[in-house]
Amino acid sequence: MELDGEPAGHRLRPDAPDQRDIDVYRALSADIASGVAVVSARWRNRDYAATVSGFLSVSYDPPTMLVSLFEESRICDAVASSGTWALSLLAARHQGTANWLASPGNPVEGLLNQVPYRRGPATGAAVIGGAPAWFELRTTAVHPAATHLLIVGAVLAMGRDAPGAESADPLIHFASSYQRLGR
C-alpha cells in the first residue's frame, strides 16, 4: 500500500505525532471494520445516548464488556457518573438512528424522541428497539487512554430484540462510512 506515493510504511515521530502522522493514522484506521452500537445512560433523570464503534467483549466469565468514549463528551460524563449503562448493537435498518446519535450538537432534551427504545430492566437506560443484541452494564473500571476513557462494565442483563433475519444483518462501520455485512 502506498500513502500519497510513499512506500508502504509510515514511521511516527518518537516525541509526538504531527498532523501528517495523525492524518495517516486516521486513513489507515478507517479500514478497521467494526460493529456499530448505541451506548446509553440514564443520569439525573435524563437520557444520554451516542453511536459508538469502539466497544468489545472482554470476557465471557464473568460477562464483561468495554466501550471507548471521548472524554469530553456528554455521553462519557453520563456513563462515568451514573455507574450503569446499556449497549445496543444496531442492525442495518438502524442507520438513521446511528446517524442521528452520532451528530454533534444533538439536543439534550428530547434526544430520543425520534428513536424507538424501551427501558432496560436492570438499569433503566435506553435499549434501542429491534437491537440484534443488547447489554446492560455496571461500571467496574475506568481507564484513561489518550483523548478517551475506556469504560469496563460487568453485564447485568442482556437479550435480543430483533427477529432472526435482522440479527443476521448488522450495521458495520468501515472506510469511514456505514456498511452492511453483505449477507
Side-chain angles (χ1 to χ4, degrees):
M1 175 180 94
E2 289 191 0
L3 302 171
D4 297 332
E6 294 181 11
H10 178 85
R11 190 174 185 116
L12 276 72
R13 288 151 192 38
D15 49 345
D18 64 14
Q19 190 59 51
R20 170 124 171 89
D21 295 335
I22 293 167
D23 292 344
V24 169
Y25 177 80
R26 181 172 287 153
L28 292 173
S29 67
D31 288 341
I32 299 170
S34 61
V36 180
V38 167
V39 65
S40 62
R42 183 97 176 131
W43 183 49
R44 295 183 175 170
N45 295 318
R46 183 174 282 152
D47 287 305
Y48 295 83
T51 303
V52 295
S53 59
F55 62 92
L56 61 96
S57 171
V58 173
S59 173
Y60 297 122
D61 187 14
T64 306
M65 299 187 86
L66 173 149
V67 66
S68 175
L69 300 173
F70 180 57
E71 189 171 11
E72 294 181 13
S73 66
R74 292 187 308 223
I75 189 64
C76 187
D77 285 342
V79 168
S81 298
S82 71
T84 59
W85 42 287
L87 185 81
S88 301
L89 303 184
L90 299 183
R93 74 175 184 88
H94 290 116
Q95 186 171 339
T97 296
N99 286 334
W100 169 247
L101 294 175
S103 300
N106 276 337
V108 174
E109 295 298 327
L111 176 67
L112 297 177
N113 286 353
Q114 63 187 39
V115 176
Y117 74 95
R118 64 178 178 76
R119 298 273 170 221
T123 67
V127 171
I128 303 302
W134 56 266
F135 306 88
E136 288 185 280
L137 304 106
R138 178 182 44 80
T139 300
T140 57
V142 177
H143 303 282
T147 59
H148 284 58
L149 291 183
L150 305 178
I151 301 177
V152 181
V155 176
L156 302 172
M158 60 190 153
R160 180 184 319 273
D161 279 357
E166 284 186 26
S167 292
D169 192 16
L171 187 60
I172 304 294
H173 190 261
F174 176 73
S176 300
S177 65
Y178 296 125
Q179 310 285 328
R180 294 180 77 163
L181 192 54
R183 292 185 180 208

